[in-house]
Amino acid sequence: MGLARSAGQALFDLAIHDIDGFIGSRERFGALLYNRYIEKDEPTPHFFRVWNNLYSHSLVRDADVSFAAVMARVAAIELLANGTLNASQEDSDKG
C-alpha cells in the first residue's frame, strides 16, 4: 500500500476533489495499481511498456523503491485517464 500512497499523491497533485470518494476505497485503488502491472504473478505488457519508456530516462532508476513509486504514479494517471478509477465502476473491476 505504500506504492498506492505514492500513486495517490499524483491524484493530489492533479487537485482531484474528494480522492477517497472518487476511487471508492484505498484497497480497491491498491488492487487496481497492482493489477495494472502484475497478473498471475507475472509482469503485464503495461509493466514492460512503462519500464521500457521510463527506465533509461529516470534519475531514480537505481533506487528500486523510488522507481516503483514512479511507476505507480504512471499507473494512477493511466487509470484516471481511461476512467477505471471512478468508483462507480467498482462493480466492473472484477470482470
Side-chain angles (χ1 to χ4, degrees):
M1 278 304 176
L3 296 180
R5 180 178 294 126
S6 178
Q9 180 65 39
L11 300 179
F12 180 80
D13 292 346
L14 292 168
I16 301 299
H17 177 68
D18 186 19
I19 292 171
D20 288 334
F22 180 69
I23 62 175
S25 73
R26 294 175 187 191
E27 292 79 14
R28 175 179 177 268
F29 184 45
L32 287 170
L33 290 171
Y34 183 85
N35 292 337
R36 187 77 177 163
Y37 289 131
I38 305 294
E39 186 174 293
K40 297 180 183 176
D41 294 327
E42 295 293 327
T44 66
H46 298 293
F47 174 90
F48 292 111
R49 180 177 49 84
V50 173
W51 179 280
N52 291 335
N53 286 304
L54 188 59
Y55 186 81
S56 63
H57 304 288
S58 177
L59 294 174
V60 296
R61 68 178 171 228
D62 296 325
D64 295 341
V65 172
S66 296
F67 189 73
V70 170
M71 289 189 67
R73 292 173 68 104
V74 169
I77 299 303
E78 289 178 335
L79 292 167
L80 174 66
N82 71 20
T84 302
L85 283 185
N86 190 326
S88 67
Q89 295 205 10
E90 194 164 346
D91 293 336
S92 66
D93 290 345
K94 295 177 178 51

